[in-house]
Amino acid sequence: MGGTTTISVGSDGVAIITILNPPVNSLSLDVLNSLKESFDQALQRDDVKAIVVTGAKGKFSGGFDINAFGGVHDGKAMSTGPASKPGYVSIDILSDTVEAARKPSVAAIDGLALGGGLEVAMGCHARIATSTAQLGLPELQLGIIPGFGGTQRLPRLVGLPKALEMMLVSCYLFNPPGDELLDTARRWALDILERRRPWVASLYRTDKLEPLGEAREILNFARAQARRQAPNMQHPQVCIDVIEEGIEYNEFQVLLKSDTCKSLVHIFFAQRGTTKVPGVTDRGLKPRRISKVAILGGGLMGSGIATALLLSGYQVVLKEVNEKFLEGGLGRIKANLTSSVKKGKLSQEKFEKTLSRLKGVLDYESFKDVDMVIEAVIENVSLKQQIFSDLEKYCSPHCILASNTSTIDLNLIGEKTKSHDRIIGAHFFSPAHIMPLLEIVRTEKTSPQVIVDLLDVGKKIRKTPVVVGNCTGFAVNRMFFPYTQSALLLVERGADIYKIDRAITKFGMPMGPFRLCDLVGFGVAIATGSQFVENFPERTYRSMLIPLMQEDKRAGETTRKGFYVYNDKRKASPDPELKKYIEKAREMAGVSVDPKVGGALIQLAKLSDKEIIEMVLFPVVNEACRVYAEGIAVKAADLDIAGVMGMGFPPYRGGIMFWGDSIGSKYICGKLEEWSKMYGDFFKPCGYLAERAALGAPLSTGGADEAKAKSRL
Ligand SMILES: C[C@H](O)CC(=O)SCCNC(=O)CCNC(=O)[C@H](O)C(C)(C)COP(=O)(O)OP(=O)(O)OC[C@H]1O[C@@H](n2cnc3c(N)ncnc32)[C@H](O)[C@@H]1OP(=O)(O)O
């Protein structure tokens, strides 16, 4: 597992123990064993009076080594050595060696002290941190609870409310400024030794703890809140119980083996893996400097993208077709920035500075020195084609030409240009300054340099980029187009709209397919839908329900009427009037409720929640398999991230492919086959899924990347 600690003793008698395990000084079992050895050495040596613990290269520690979890999930023992024994780190190292030591210790924290890292620091007798240090117990984001005494020491150091916030919301505590970290820590340790400062064992502190009755109330409130916010997850409740009862280790071990932990650890590594693109990021290319970006179109998307760029220090030129639209776009950007000020994320002074980097224009005059253009106009092929040939004329030959299209094939968009190597998709998700995903779409001709440049921009604007291949709908929209389609098919055959939405939100999606349609708006839903009808006619379910409703001026949330009706506060309520549209659509589709076909007829009006989830989401798994098999995504894990970050698929289920594998290819394929016999080709399993099912193999391995790797051998 690697990593170690070093020890050096100064002439002042202070031993500096440094954690050394790049890149984040994570606590592997080797590091923990070495930490114990260094401590024992410092305690035994006569020339050591006091101890300072720190991390190498400006990072205290990013916590327990998450790679070790993988071993546990695969059923292997973590490692050998004393630190692998149950409770050894928590009791033998942190309580009995560090905290109970006869020599005082101080944690000198620069950079990160997260999870186990902060727990080591809390075992020391005092903590000194720089102004930029990040302290936190983010274990819950991985489906576990702190396991090295954090649930007990943190409440004693900062009080229950702050400790609960740091664990359940996983936010970080920023400490007041400190300077000359190591010197201050050294002096502090000696001050403790000479009783000029208190010698405090965190575990025995009680001054910050609330009286019992009050503490119980705080914990019960936290329980209720966690139940509301994370109804499908057990570990936040377990964490609160453990804070109250103090028995940490056993629960930690149980959670470590849970499906939630497996899924969240998968998501952790998958997210970090998206920036590693074979054939692109392994060529040693350095991102070029991009400082000025032009955006075409100041609508919801364009203004959101502009906001994200401005907030990260880019200069932005916003182009619109007339004064009125330009004013609207600039106004939206200003409103976004104002909202950041209100939320305390941007100071008033920075607001002015940020806004001063924005320029609104009506022509291409200022495009000659921009480094990148992002086109964000309506989804109209000929308009986009015209724009791209204009861009070729007005921009420098090095300028990156990106499109924010969500569905249209990029080759079509660039058809009238000779700039195919610098055309790329930069597909943001609405609201673009908030949603974390950036789908980067490359064609066969996009140069690796341009991809590396956009990956860098993505990182700077704090998005998780996923690089995908070019096709209609790319990865996210293509995977999720069956989401609404299957829901429409079910409704036309008797299932209830609101029951479907309820079952799907209970599963963990932020909203069901119908509520989502209302949010996106029927105009966009129809435009996108028609792209799919055109490109994948054999598997597109054609329902007239949405067009029928739109004819009646019900177009979703913006018109206050869609599948739901909306009040002034945008609260959605079911609408009994929908019945008439459903009946008409059913008639036009020529289908009946509960068609009498096949022996294993499922009465769709009486579907259970489980059946709804399967019938809505297995077609999504099926399409994800196609996307993977075609090589649109190079890694199945990229699709997991795309679904989690772009569609809100619950991360604690690990993403769409990971979830599919947790159910099994055989079962999914069997169900899809059964439904395709009853309801048509919409459900037909794709070749890849059928093949994996026949082999009894997982879906997440064996896609185009594996096929390519094999063909290279
Ligand atoms: C018993 C204990 O209570 C249990 C625990 O301690 S569980 C662990 C608790 N700690 C955490 O959850 C922190 C997880 N890490 C993070 O949040 C972020 O990585 C960070 C804030 C530390 C650094 O973020 P950032 O600078 O953006 O770098 P990031 O790309 O995320 O990570 C850099 C590398 O370190 C790795 N890494 C980060 N934290 C790690 C950890 N705790 N264990 C192992 N590897 C880790 C990442 O996988 C990545 O590897 P790669 O370069 O091969 O992809």
Side-chain angles (χ1 to χ4, degrees):
M1 291 167 87
T4 188
T5 62
T6 59
I7 178 165
S8 70
V9 183
S11 55
D12 56 359
V14 177
I16 306 278
I17 297 177
T18 306
I19 303 169
L20 193 64
N21 191 16
V24 297
N25 295 327
S26 63
L27 303 172
S28 64
L29 293 178
D30 290 344
V31 167
L32 289 163
N33 284 324
S34 166
L35 179 69
K36 166 91 166 102
E37 280 162 22
S38 293
F39 244 93
D40 284 341
Q41 195 194 123
L43 295 177
Q44 275 158 19
R45 276 172 67 162
D46 292 338
D47 58 338
V48 175
K49 292 195 274 188
I51 301 160
V52 165
V53 184
T54 195
K57 301 229 165 110
K59 288 173 186 162
F60 188 81
S61 169
F64 190 65
D65 183 354
I66 304 170
N67 289 300
F69 293 2
V72 175
H73 295 158
D74 295 341
K76 293 180 211 135
M78 266 205 200
S79 174
T80 51
S84 60
K85 277 191 275 169
Y88 185 83
V89 178
S90 191
I91 296 169
D92 292 66
I93 304 186
L94 292 182
S95 292
D96 293 353
T97 308
V98 178
E99 195 165 50
R102 287 167 298 101
K103 295 180 184 177
S105 61
V106 172
I109 306 170
D110 199 0
L112 313 158
L114 301 178
L118 181 58
E119 291 175 295
V120 168
M122 288 193 292
C124 296
H125 302 118
R127 288 141 293 280
I128 308 286
T130 58
S131 54
T132 50
Q134 292 181 28
L135 282 68
L137 291 181
E139 282 88 342
L140 269 77
Q141 285 178 6
L142 298 168
I144 51 167
I145 57 170
F148 296 160
T151 61
Q152 302 308 301
R153 288 196 179 88
L154 191 59
R156 284 166 174 77
L157 287 172
V158 299
L160 254 184
K162 184 81 206 168
L164 281 165
E165 192 189 331
M166 284 176 72
M167 286 185 244
L168 297 175
V169 189
S170 296
C171 77
Y172 302 132
L173 183 78
F174 293 89
N175 258 35
D179 51 6
E180 292 154 355
L181 184 66
L182 278 186
D183 282 347
T184 314
R186 285 190 121 97
R187 274 198 308 276
W188 203 288
L190 291 172
D191 283 352
I192 296 177
L193 182 76
E194 283 146 25
R195 305 280 168 187
R196 284 194 295 271
R197 292 189 189 272
W199 189 324
V200 190
S202 313
L203 216 44
Y204 299 104
R205 250 179 99 164
T206 52
D207 57 311
K208 295 264 177 171
L209 282 182
E210 293 70 14
L212 201 57
E214 199 184 315
R216 288 227 164 96
E217 252 175 58
I218 295 172
L219 290 168
N220 283 337
F221 180 76
R223 275 190 186 96
Q225 206 172 25
R227 247 193 309 275
R228 253 197 328 275
Q229 284 166 355
N232 290 342
M233 285 187 271
Q234 262 305 305
H235 65 288
Q237 299 295 329
V238 174
C239 182
I240 300 168
D241 292 347
V242 166
I243 292 173
E244 186 166 14
E245 289 154 16
I247 309 159
E248 194 181 78
Y249 191 74
N250 293 346
E251 297 296 348
F252 175 81
Q253 285 297 321
V254 172
L255 290 173
L256 190 57
K257 294 185 186 117
S258 66
D259 287 343
T260 304
C261 176
K262 275 183 215 164
S263 305
L264 289 171
V265 167
H266 166 71
I267 289 295
F268 176 84
F269 287 115
Q271 190 178 353
R272 277 142 191 90
T274 62
T275 47
K276 296 171 185 117
V277 188
V280 176
T281 53
D282 48 9
R283 291 174 169 227
L285 294 167
K286 294 267 170 302
R288 290 175 294 178
R289 201 177 127 77
I290 290 181
S291 47
K292 195 168 176 185
V293 183
I295 314 259
L296 280 150
L300 207 60
M301 284 313 290
S303 54
I305 299 168
T307 309
L309 289 161
L310 286 166
L311 283 170
S312 298
Y314 289 94
Q315 284 186 57
V316 174
V317 177
L318 182 76
K319 180 180 176 308
E320 258 299 355
V321 285
N322 61 38
E323 283 288 353
K324 189 171 157 230
F325 285 0
L326 185 59
E327 242 169 63
L330 296 173
R332 268 186 285 277
I333 297 170
K334 203 168 167 187
N336 290 341
L337 295 176
T338 309
S339 140
S340 291
V341 174
K342 279 195 194 133
K343 287 181 193 146
K345 289 181 182 162
L346 187 71
S347 67
Q348 189 61 40
E349 191 200 338
K350 279 209 176 128
F351 168 84
E352 305 293 345
K353 240 186 168 164
T354 307
L355 205 57
S356 72
R357 287 195 295 270
L358 172 67
K359 182 177 161 193
V361 299
L362 293 173
D363 56 33
Y364 285 111
E365 191 55 32
S366 342
F367 277 50
K368 51 183 179 292
D369 64 341
V370 300
D371 306 304
M372 176 161 88
V373 179
I374 303 177
E375 165 276 307
V377 306
I378 51 163
E379 293 289 67
N380 177 317
V381 177
S382 52
L383 175 64
K384 285 181 196 271
Q385 285 179 337
Q386 180 57 50
I387 286 174
F388 273 72
S389 55
D390 285 346
L391 289 175
E392 210 177 27
K393 274 184 242 147
Y394 293 104
C395 300
S396 85
H398 310 294
C399 176
I400 297 167
L401 307 179
S403 170
N404 176 54
T405 178
S406 62
T407 25
I408 306 173
D409 189 320
L410 285 172
N411 287 329
L412 206 58
I413 292 177
E415 206 174 66
K416 301 196 171 144
T417 72
K418 291 189 186 67
S419 300
H420 293 275
D421 58 332
R422 55 190 174 121
I423 292 181
I424 191 162
H427 179 208
F428 290 80
F429 293 75
S430 185
H433 56 299
I434 294 173
M435 289 291 280
L437 186 69
L438 171 61
E439 199 172 29
I440 296 181
V441 188
R442 58 167 163 184
T443 68
E444 315 79 66
K445 291 183 191 138
T446 309
S447 82
Q449 180 64 55
V450 167
I451 303 171
V452 167
D453 295 340
L454 192 51
L455 277 168
D456 188 54
V457 173
K459 188 175 171 195
K460 294 206 168 109
I461 60 174
R462 289 191 279 279
K463 302 285 177 208
T464 297
V466 173
V467 178
V468 300
N470 181 36
C471 66
T472 301
F474 316 127
V476 178
N477 283 351
R478 213 181 119 178
M479 276 195 296
F480 276 87
F481 95 93
Y483 184 61
T484 317
Q485 294 229 308
S486 51
L488 286 166
L489 181 149
L490 296 186
V491 164
E492 285 190 357
R493 285 164 173 79
D496 178 62
I497 285 184
Y498 307 111
K499 193 173 170 197
I500 292 176
D501 271 7
R502 268 198 307 277
I504 297 292
T505 39
K506 243 168 127 187
F507 170 82
M509 294 296 292
M511 52 189 90
F514 297 107
R515 180 67 188 83
L516 180 68
C517 256
D518 276 2
L519 184 76
V520 170
F522 290 4
V524 174
I526 293 171
T528 320
S530 62
Q531 288 286 330
F532 290 115
V533 174
E534 213 171 283
N535 289 280
F536 313 117
E538 75 295 348
R539 58 178 191 273
T540 316
Y541 183 70
R542 279 164 238 194
S543 163
M544 285 308 288
L545 186 53
I546 294 181
L548 278 172
M549 286 164 72
Q550 207 198 24
E551 262 173 34
D552 251 5
K553 304 215 165 18
R554 299 181 73 116
E557 202 180 310
T558 47
T559 56
R560 293 229 186 153
K561 268 183 176 187
F563 288 104
Y564 294 79
V565 282
Y566 296 85
N567 68 10
D568 289 346
K569 292 187 178 126
R570 296 177 54 201
K571 189 178 174 318
S573 318
D575 185 358
E577 269 206 23
L578 280 192
K579 226 173 136 203
K580 69 173 190 218
Y581 300 104
I582 297 170
E583 272 163 16
K584 184 107 186 269
R586 183 176 294 145
E587 214 175 276
M588 290 170 83
V591 296
S592 63
V593 175
D594 304 332
K596 304 278 177 286
V597 264
L601 181 70
I602 303 172
Q603 288 201 302
L604 295 183
K606 294 183 191 147
L607 287 179
S608 67
D609 281 3
K610 176 173 177 279
E611 285 163 333
I612 291 176
I613 288 161
E614 291 185 353
M615 292 189 85
V616 172
L617 288 172
F618 285 0
V620 178
V621 175
N622 196 18
E623 194 61 29
C625 284
R626 283 195 186 93
V627 170
Y628 180 42
E630 288 167 22
I632 299 298
V634 276
K635 298 185 242 69
D638 284 352
L639 294 176
D640 289 332
I641 291 299
V644 166
M645 306 238 161
M647 288 301 296
F649 189 88
Y652 54 84
R653 296 192 192 275
I656 195 72
M657 295 290 273
F658 190 91
W659 178 68
D661 276 336
S662 74
I663 291 169
S665 52
K666 244 190 177 125
Y667 179 81
I668 297 176
C669 188
K671 283 284 175 193
L672 287 167
E673 266 164 5
E674 184 185 318
W675 301 326
S676 65
K677 280 183 202 130
M678 289 192 253
Y679 309 111
D681 280 355
F682 169 73
F683 286 111
K684 196 172 169 203
C686 69
Y688 175 75
L689 176 53
E691 193 185 294
R692 300 307 281 176
L695 292 169
L699 303 171
S700 298
T701 48
D705 49 337
E706 195 172 275
K708 269 187 225 139
K710 267 192 202 142
S711 70
R712 276 199 298 269
L713 291 174

